[in-house]
Amino acid sequence: MRLNLNNANLKISAGLKKQFPADRIPQVAFSGRSNVGKSSLINALLNRKSLARVSGEPGKTITINFYDIDGKVYFVDLPGYGYARRTKAEQEKWSALTDGFFTSNQNIDSVKLVCQLIDSRTGPTKDDLSMIDYLDQTGMPFILVATKYDKLNATEKKKFREILSAEPLCAGRPCVCCSAKSGEGKDELWARIAESCGL
Ligand code: GTP
Ligand code: MG
């Protein structure tokens, strides 16, 4: 892969669908509940500490952040869901923006992969399963990514795998187990991204 990861920057923090980049370079989106570790994973993949903002106040910013990686791929940090303290108006903004991205995005063909994040400590939540079901219905290519894997011991890792296999919406799907802290799973995830985007 010939990507200069030092050449990565925030292209736009989009609060409206019309602000999504129109150029046709491949996009990889990161979806998941608030606090699951989307921004941390993006930083880890790019070997950066704080390019993607790791939230002090989770769930508050409802924007879709597009990171331009060396002009060859966009990483798309989607706003998290499942944040209990959101107002109704904030919740509606989340829905409109997310739907704008997945179902009425003129550039949807550029979205080559969605990484659906799941916290490995909890397994898929009800909201995660709704999101997976939604993604399934849109026909988007997506994989599961387990986050915070460093927090699990061997027994808990085994248990997590069992929970995934027992869940019909997850069983049989590729799942890359990652830690933004230790870097575990990064190479495997990059390989999947490179393959999907033809990098
Ligand atoms: P929102 O932007 O609010 O939707 O959250 P997010 O999904 O971007 O999560 P974020 O990356 O901000 O991480 C949330 C918290 O989890 C932070 O305190 C991170 O330091 C922590 N965290 C994220 N990934 C990992 C990981 O792999 N291991 C550990 N130990 N902590 C992590
Ligand atoms: Mg974030």
Side-chain angles (χ1 to χ4, degrees):
M1 187 177 44
R2 294 165 298 276
L3 275 184
N4 176 7
L5 297 186
N6 293 320
N7 185 22
N9 48 66
L10 177 66
K11 170 86 174 180
I12 187 158
S13 197
L16 297 168
K17 193 174 78 170
K18 65 177 185 199
Q19 296 173 309
F20 297 169
D23 41 324
R24 302 270 167 187
I25 64 173
Q27 299 186 9
V28 178
F30 296 81
S31 158
R33 71 168 174 74
S34 183
N35 211 42
V36 71
K38 297 176 295 297
S39 304
S40 301
L41 183 65
I42 290 173
N43 285 330
L45 287 167
L46 299 174
N47 304 322
R48 297 283 277 265
K49 276 208 165 64
S50 55
L51 179 67
R53 231 164 46 91
V54 174
S55 39
E57 197 179 359
K60 269 298 167 193
T61 39
I62 304 175
T63 55
I64 298 186
N65 295 341
F66 291 81
Y67 296 93
D68 173 333
I69 321 298
D70 203 23
K72 297 193 177 73
V73 59
Y74 284 122
F75 277 6
V76 184
D77 193 355
L78 293 166
Y81 50 79
Y83 181 62
R85 275 164 52 210
R86 235 173 227 169
T87 63
K88 190 154 180 279
E90 286 169 334
Q91 187 51 39
E92 278 166 7
K93 184 171 180 200
W94 181 89
S95 297
L97 200 57
T98 305
D99 233 30
F101 185 78
F102 285 116
T103 64
S104 59
N105 181 350
Q106 297 209 347
N107 210 354
I108 195 69
D109 290 347
S110 298
V111 184
K112 303 300 183 193
L113 183 67
V114 180
C115 297
Q116 172 60 41
L117 275 55
I118 290 170
D119 191 325
S120 60
R121 295 170 306 173
T122 58
T125 63
K126 213 166 139 250
D127 286 338
D128 292 335
L129 293 174
S130 303
M131 192 69 204
I132 290 169
D133 198 27
Y134 173 85
L135 287 172
D136 222 8
Q137 286 175 35
T138 63
M140 299 296 302
F142 73 95
I143 59 169
L144 304 177
V145 175
T147 62
K148 311 191 185 183
Y149 214 51
D150 57 280
K151 296 203 176 195
L152 270 55
N153 64 31
T155 314
E156 291 164 334
K157 286 179 179 174
K158 187 163 170 277
K159 180 96 183 106
F160 173 74
R161 285 288 185 179
E162 286 167 3
I163 288 172
L164 274 197
S165 333
E167 174 47 61
L169 282 166
C170 301
R173 284 192 194 283
C175 178
V176 184
C177 296
C178 287
S179 164
K181 202 173 170 190
S182 73
E184 181 177 359
K186 242 170 62 169
D187 292 349
E188 189 187 342
L189 187 51
W190 260 122
R192 295 238 175 222
I193 291 169
E195 194 192 354
S196 300
C197 296
L199 296 171

